[in-house]
Amino acid sequence: MDLTLKIWRQAGPEAKGEMKTYPISGVEEDMSFLEMLDFLNEQLIEQGIEPVVFDHDCREGICGMCSLFINGEAHGPGRKITTCQLHMREFKSGDTIYIEPFRAKAFPIIKDLMVDRSAFDRIQRAGGFISVNTSGNTIDANAIPVPKENADKAFDAATCIGCGACVATCKNSSAMLFASAKISQFSLLPQGQPEAKERVLNMVHQMDLEGFGNCTNTGACEVECPKGISLENIARMNRDYLFASLSSNK
Amino acid sequence: MALDSKIPAGPLGEKWTKHKGEIPLVSPANKRLIDVIVVGTGLAGSSAAASLAEMGYNVKAFCFQDSPRRAHSIAAQGGINAAKNYQNDGDSVYRLFYDTIKGGDYRSREANVHRLAEVSRNIIDQCVAQGVPFARDYGGLLDNRSFGGVQVSRTFYAKGQTGQQLLLGAYSALNRQIAKGRVKMYARHEMQELVVVDGKARGIIAKNLVTGEFERHSAHAVLLCTGGYGNVFFLSTNAMGSNVTAAWKAHRKGAYMANPCFTQIHPTCIPVSGENQSKLTLMSESLRNDGRIWVPAKKEDAEAIRAGKLHPNDIAEENRDYYLERRYPAFGNLVPRDVASRAAKERCDAGYGVNKTGEAVYLDFAAAIMRYGEEEAHVKGVNNPSEAEIKALGERVVEAKYGNLFQMYEKITASNPYKEPMKIYPAVHYTMGGLWVDYNLMTTIPGCFALGEANFSDHGANRLGASALMQGLADGYFVAPYTVGEFLSKDIRTGKISTDSPEFEAAEQAVRERTEKFINNNGTKTVDHFHKRLGKIMWNEVGMARNEKGLKQAIADIQALREEFYADVRVLGSANGMNPELDKAGRVADLIELGELMAKDALERNESCGGHFREEYQSEEGEALRDDENFAFVSAWEFTGVPAEAKLHKEELTFENVELKTRSYK
């Protein structure tokens, strides 16, 4: 198939960016979207044009490294997939495709389509852990049964891949879905209880410091989330936050 | 240099406890004076960095991804083994040890494997304490499933995302230490060179991938937790960035590379669809718990399917060849990976393949769906359910077990595996070979350690499913943090290692020259062009079946490719700033050299064992013929300048606790 690609090019964090147009032909239906970009880059290199820079690694939808805003949607058309799982059979010959980076104040552009999402790591460092040292003699794993329903919900929350689609999609650039996924995972497990209050207060505080916006319940994040992380987690986080604010010793 | 594996004396079950008790301790005050570099933040790297920092060492951790959470351990699907015996099916430390030794075709060290089995139980306890949400049953206790090559249920899992959950657990432990300032994290940094001072590993040259700057980092020890080298085949289930550079630079500086030809070709991957494909996707081995593998029994049916004239669902039961169940009745669809892969290749080579390339077999869930459906109908008290009702109930059970895998398959292939069988074919997945390490996980360069897939130590010639996660976390949480003490206890008076030494200067200079050569090369072909050609040579001659003639040809072809690469590769842009093509060129350069050594290793090993199948050494039935008399050793290769002229050192393997047997799964 033949396509027209409109791609955001930006030489560096401070440079001025612009949309550039690249016609491409010979794209196959079975190619993934990123393979299509590889295919483009091979041609650009042969023409002496610097290839388009984009983040990617596992190419099976789990590492969370790939991003891209495709035709105005995080990870492109299709639900519950990452960009690397999007295939060209979703497009037809003659289409024009707009490809932009994930945009948010807290995700500065590094080059072209690559952004800096280290703010997410800093939110996790503020409390996204259970304080247990490696000892080899913690209690037996089956000593504390966890109701299956809670374990399953904790797992669902824990499947967040930290890609940032929620932030890129949200009109407020809010990271509430991301932060609430980790907070919920631990909130639902007995092991997470001792630090629950501090965790939610610290992670929310860090989220604000990084410049992410607030949640106004549009639900766009849940729709675009490649892992289907539920809004229920934001509700749980808000409840935990309120409870912690009122009862914390701090 | 003679190889000393430093295996402690004493009975097998007591070696580790005794050794751990005898390793010299470094006092808390002295740990603060010691710096450790950890390269790679997968399961081995994250867990090691976190544990060492907890103990009091100053840790610097490096990863090339934008966050430590993205290391490729994240993609492991099926599960992690542990000898917990929660299912009361007769499992024990000894049985896990025995299965692993046997599964590895008797080419691993008894002492290392036993230690792995011992600490496996601690891993599960540790992870649950960290909040890793493993699958649970209705009573709230942990659930298990079976994997290939074993007859017990000892695999812990979190749907098809076990690697993700374990890595995020280790990442959270790492984050806790970063927050405390005990670990300094360098993301988007890649190790370019190992710095050896007075014969000891004392630092690395790292490249800041965002700015293009080279940085000198010194430490008292360097831990390489950089994963495997499956990307030497270009197409593999590895992530795009997975590479051998860190391990290869260490090899060039004196670390021996062990058993590099032992490659695991995983039987259940989505088949190759076209020339522009960039990677292959695994379908977890756990699917073989419920999926039955088959091809048409009649060649004309296979031909009709390939031509698109026949649908697999229309082939009657008696015209299907469930070849694993036929050949290996005792283990059936759950034979180890190497056996399953070769069997698929055998059927496809014989003309029974079921996709247009002729390189695919079916993995069918129809029987499992009906079986589960009937069970569910029973549980739910549905009387005389119709076939459609049973099917619907069964599909829901299968979805709960493998939902994300089925969805992944459908996204890639546009075919619904609930309604028609999956098509699968073997693909490169894991490398058992790696840097040679002693019992302390130290390479032949003092102070340079290798953990996880980057070392060779535990899986012999074939790794069992759900054992990679186990080994990564065992090395990182429970082995290396203790065993580094033996080396580091001698360093308490050393003081800070200077980065101004001539050794650091020379290492940085070498990296700069290499980089500039690529930028100024003005060649005509892209890096991927060469990588794809390397992959073809490796897959055809150093893949699932190897022979002397092909291996000799591969060595010659790779050497020619290397020359052409350096003469004609084209890298645009500059060395100052972000340049992923430039980074890729450096990785491919090292993979080309490694490929040559793999072919050499395969050529010298005149036997078939595990993932290494030499066509000259097989039984009349096509089973692998191992040669214990002449090849019960680890091949450890010393770099001498040209990979194919590396010097071989043998570590003889002695088996005091298991009897060497022909591995039979019949």
Side-chain angles (χ1 to χ4, degrees):
Chain A
M1 55 174 101
D2 304 327
L3 301 165
T4 305
L5 304 175
K6 305 257 186 192
I7 302 178
W8 184 263
R9 303 294 314 252
Q10 183 174 332
E14 306 301 328
K16 190 170 171 292
E18 61 176 329
M19 296 298 284
K20 290 251 190 181
T21 305
Y22 302 99
I24 183 170
S25 51
V27 173
E28 291 161 16
E29 282 200 334
D30 282 342
M31 283 182 184
S32 70
F33 197 84
L34 296 183
E35 283 164 1
M36 184 274 293
L37 286 180
D38 293 341
F39 188 56
L40 171 75
N41 277 344
E42 288 289 287
Q43 295 174 15
L44 293 182
I45 294 167
E46 276 162 23
Q47 294 162 29
I49 302 170
E50 266 198 63
V52 179
V53 173
F54 57 93
D55 261 328
H56 65 103
D57 200 27
C58 79
R59 296 210 175 182
E60 49 187 281
I62 194 73
C63 75
M65 191 124 170
C66 67
S67 49
L68 303 189
F69 224 58
I70 301 163
N71 286 344
E73 280 186 272
H75 297 298
R79 293 290 164 257
K80 291 198 182 175
I81 53 166
T82 55
T83 294
C84 64
Q85 293 175 297
L86 176 65
H87 281 71
M88 296 314 291
R89 63 180 82 93
E90 305 298 327
F91 300 90
K92 55 184 192 301
S93 201
D95 279 358
T96 298
I97 304 176
Y98 291 82
I99 309 169
E100 294 173 81
F102 277 2
R103 292 188 194 277
K105 187 177 137 204
F107 289 169
I109 290 178
I110 295 172
K111 188 174 184 177
D112 294 342
L113 302 169
M114 183 184 276
V115 300
D116 178 355
R117 287 168 288 192
S118 53
F120 269 13
D121 285 323
R122 290 188 292 274
I123 293 175
Q124 296 295 342
R125 282 167 208 163
F129 48 77
I130 288 170
S131 297
V132 51
N133 278 357
T134 312
S135 66
N137 44 26
T138 51
I139 55 164
D140 183 83
N142 258 349
I144 307 176
V146 181
K148 182 170 168 57
E149 198 189 331
N150 288 357
D152 287 351
K153 275 189 181 162
F155 169 80
D156 288 342
T159 57
C160 166
I161 57 174
C163 65
C166 46
V167 172
T169 300
C170 177
K171 62 176 183 168
N172 308 321
S173 298
S174 169
M176 298 271 268
L177 194 66
F178 168 78
S180 70
K182 186 54 69 180
I183 290 166
S184 280
Q185 176 196 342
F186 292 149
S187 170
L188 285 158
L189 297 172
Q191 292 85 357
Q193 297 315 310
E195 296 165 289
K197 287 183 194 173
E198 266 177 72
R199 179 178 303 115
V200 66
L201 294 176
N202 292 342
M203 287 178 77
V204 169
H205 178 63
Q206 187 66 33
M207 200 167 70
D208 292 341
L209 284 183
E210 297 290 347
F212 292 103
N214 217 321
C215 173
T216 49
N217 291 311
T218 66
C221 53
E222 183 188 61
V223 175
E224 293 294 346
C225 174
K227 296 295 153 188
I229 303 295
S230 164
L231 281 181
E232 194 185 310
N233 293 304
I234 297 184
R236 187 177 293 108
M237 176 175 79
N238 285 337
R239 199 167 60 224
D240 288 356
Y241 185 81
L242 185 65
F243 176 68
S245 307
L246 296 174
S247 62
S248 171
N249 299 326
K250 274 191 180 171
Chain B
M1 187 174 86
L3 287 172
D4 179 4
S5 58
K6 299 212 182 105
I7 295 171
L12 185 65
E14 291 164 26
K15 284 180 196 285
W16 174 232
T17 310
K18 183 163 167 283
H19 183 67
K20 213 164 70 163
E22 288 170 357
I23 295 171
L25 290 177
V26 181
S27 79
N30 285 329
K31 282 193 186 116
R32 285 197 289 273
L33 305 175
I34 291 179
D35 304 325
V36 179
I37 282 174
V38 177
V39 187
T41 58
L43 287 178
S46 285
S47 57
S51 303
L52 288 163
E54 280 165 18
M55 293 164 84
Y57 294 107
N58 306 309
V59 178
K60 284 181 174 183
F62 296 80
C63 71
F64 69 77
Q65 297 91 342
D66 72 330
S67 162
R69 67 179 292 157
R70 310 214 196 275
H72 198 53
S73 303
I74 199 111
Q77 298 171 353
I80 177 165
N81 289 328
K84 279 287 199 184
N85 194 30
Y86 282 162
Q87 304 306 323
N88 194 24
D89 50 9
D91 200 9
S92 64
V93 166
Y94 182 83
R95 208 174 280 272
L96 174 54
F97 154 77
Y98 179 78
D99 286 343
T100 308
I101 288 276
K102 178 188 172 195
D105 222 353
Y106 306 95
R107 289 295 173 265
S108 45
R109 268 188 212 141
E110 279 189 343
N112 284 54
V113 176
H114 200 274
R115 173 174 68 188
L116 177 66
E118 284 173 54
V119 304
S120 70
R121 300 172 298 185
N122 302 118
I123 297 171
I124 303 304
D125 298 341
Q126 181 70 25
C127 292
V128 167
Q130 284 172 345
V132 170
F134 285 117
R136 288 176 185 268
D137 59 25
Y138 285 100
L141 301 178
L142 295 164
D143 197 18
N144 291 111
R145 59 188 173 200
S146 299
F147 258 60
V150 302
Q151 289 166 318
V152 294
S153 240
R154 64 161 74 98
T155 305
F156 294 79
Y157 66 100
K159 274 203 181 163
Q161 283 137 280
T162 317
Q164 180 197 27
Q165 294 310 317
L166 294 173
L167 182 59
L168 294 181
Y171 164 73
S172 72
L174 178 63
N175 276 336
R176 179 170 159 244
Q177 298 306 318
I178 296 172
K180 285 183 174 175
R182 304 294 315 141
V183 175
K184 181 127 179 51
M185 183 69 225
Y186 296 83
R188 291 199 199 270
H189 275 66
E190 187 159 30
M191 173 178 154
Q192 303 285 311
E193 192 58 271
L194 182 73
V195 181
V196 179
V197 182
D198 298 332
K200 292 174 185 159
R202 292 302 200 189
I204 64 170
I205 305 295
K207 182 182 176 184
N208 178 329
L209 300 181
V210 176
T211 63
E213 284 163 302
F214 295 113
E215 301 170 359
R216 299 178 186 187
H217 294 276
S218 67
H220 297 86
V222 176
L223 273 55
L224 302 180
C225 313
T226 50
Y229 46 81
N231 271 346
V232 70
F233 291 85
F234 185 72
L235 284 179
S236 81
T237 65
N238 284 187
M240 301 302 286
S242 301
N243 68 77
V244 77
T245 291
W248 192 256
K249 297 303 187 209
H251 175 58
R252 291 188 68 124
K253 285 261 165 104
Y256 295 177
M257 196 60 127
N259 299 334
C261 81
F262 288 168
T263 311
Q264 178 157 86
I265 317 265
H266 195 293
T268 54
C269 299
I270 299 178
V272 177
S273 68
E275 272 298 301
N276 292 299
Q277 197 151 354
S278 60
K279 80 153 269 161
L280 297 170
T281 304
L282 176 77
M283 286 287 106
S284 167
E285 175 162 311
S286 61
L287 294 172
R288 285 199 274 144
N289 268 299
D290 286 314
R292 297 179 72 194
I293 295 177
W294 64 277
V295 291
K298 294 184 195 160
K299 221 178 238 177
E300 57 268 29
D301 284 352
E303 281 158 11
I305 284 174
R306 287 201 291 271
K309 290 177 192 155
L310 185 64
H311 193 274
N313 291 352
D314 297 331
I315 296 182
E317 201 56 31
E318 63 271 22
N319 291 327
R320 298 177 177 195
D321 176 15
Y322 296 91
Y323 57 85
L324 288 177
E325 296 170 27
R326 168 171 60 80
R327 285 177 67 176
Y328 308 101
F331 282 70
N333 292 296
L334 282 174
V335 290
R337 295 174 173 178
D338 54 334
V339 178
S341 290
R342 272 200 301 281
K345 179 176 162 38
E346 187 276 327
R347 282 293 81 191
C348 291
D349 287 351
Y352 294 91
V354 295
N355 70 350
K356 52 186 179 193
T357 63
E359 292 194 329
V361 299
Y362 288 127
L363 178 61
D364 199 334
F365 294 88
I369 287 172
M370 294 311 280
R371 192 177 73 237
Y372 285 126
E374 275 162 26
E375 231 175 81
E376 276 293 288
H378 225 73
V379 172
K380 296 211 156 88
V382 184
N383 288 324
N384 299 322
S386 70
E387 200 179 312
E389 278 176 304
I390 294 174
K391 218 174 198 172
L393 287 169
E395 280 177 8
R396 239 173 288 158
V397 177
V398 168
E399 189 186 348
K401 286 188 149 195
Y402 313 110
N404 68 315
L405 298 171
F406 276 46
Q407 185 223 16
M408 198 196 279
Y409 180 85
E410 190 169 355
K411 291 292 174 200
I412 293 171
T413 62
S415 144
N416 180 350
Y418 293 100
K419 307 294 176 199
E420 57 184 24
M422 281 185 181
K423 284 181 208 163
I424 51 154
Y425 198 67
V428 175
H429 179 57
Y430 184 90
T431 49
M432 282 75 68
L435 291 169
W436 185 90
V437 288
D438 62 17
Y439 191 71
N440 287 331
L441 303 183
M442 192 162 83
T443 68
T444 47
I445 301 174
C448 177
F449 295 77
L451 281 63
E453 191 179 350
N455 74 29
F456 86 104
S457 78
D458 294 352
H459 307 296
N462 174 59
R463 179 175 65 74
L464 289 180
S467 284
L469 302 185
M470 173 173 66
Q471 189 218 339
L473 290 180
D475 287 0
Y477 280 134
F478 298 116
V479 179
Y482 302 104
T483 58
V484 293
E486 191 149 314
F487 176 81
L488 290 175
S489 59
K490 296 177 197 117
D491 261 328
I492 51 174
R493 286 159 200 264
T494 308
K496 269 255 173 266
I497 307 286
S498 164
T499 54
D500 294 327
S501 62
E503 289 85 355
F504 268 95
E505 182 64 40
E508 188 183 325
Q509 193 53 33
V511 173
R512 279 186 194 285
E513 281 167 19
R514 213 155 42 222
T515 306
E516 270 152 32
K517 175 155 176 30
F518 284 130
I519 289 290
N520 300 324
N521 203 36
N522 287 323
T524 64
K525 297 195 181 80
T526 63
V527 177
D528 274 357
H529 166 89
F530 291 101
H531 195 181
K532 283 181 186 176
R533 279 172 58 192
L534 172 66
K536 286 224 165 88
I537 299 171
M538 296 302 292
W539 181 246
N540 291 333
E541 310 298 348
V542 201
M544 264 189 286
R546 304 151 173 190
N547 61 54
E548 185 184 344
K549 184 164 164 274
L551 290 166
K552 285 184 172 159
Q553 188 61 46
I555 291 173
D557 289 349
I558 295 169
Q559 287 176 339
L561 184 74
R562 187 176 62 205
E563 269 183 37
E564 199 188 324
F565 172 79
Y566 281 108
D568 200 26
V569 71
R570 176 176 217 181
V571 178
L572 298 173
S574 85
N576 309 315
M578 164 153 278
N579 191 341
E581 278 296 305
L582 176 61
D583 304 331
K584 203 157 70 179
R587 295 171 189 168
V588 171
D590 294 329
L591 287 171
I592 293 175
E593 293 191 3
L594 166 78
E596 188 180 322
L597 181 65
M598 288 169 72
K600 170 75 176 171
D601 185 40
L603 181 64
E604 295 295 315
R605 190 167 279 278
N606 290 317
E607 64 163 347
S608 293
C609 62
H612 170 64
F613 188 75
R614 281 282 298 270
E615 287 168 349
E616 301 95 323
Y617 308 98
Q618 57 180 312
S619 70
E620 277 173 21
E621 294 164 305
E623 303 296 341
L625 277 185
R626 211 176 61 221
D627 179 355
D628 292 329
E629 207 167 302
N630 297 304
F631 289 94
F633 61 78
V634 175
S635 303
W637 297 93
E638 180 183 357
F639 185 77
T640 59
V642 177
E645 287 161 26
K647 190 172 169 214
L648 177 63
H649 301 262
K650 294 179 186 175
E651 180 199 336
E652 295 296 336
L653 291 168
T654 45
F655 294 90
E656 292 164 354
N657 300 277
V658 298
E659 186 194 343
L660 273 71
K661 285 188 196 156
T662 303
R663 207 166 50 127
S664 170
Y665 293 94
K666 284 191 184 283

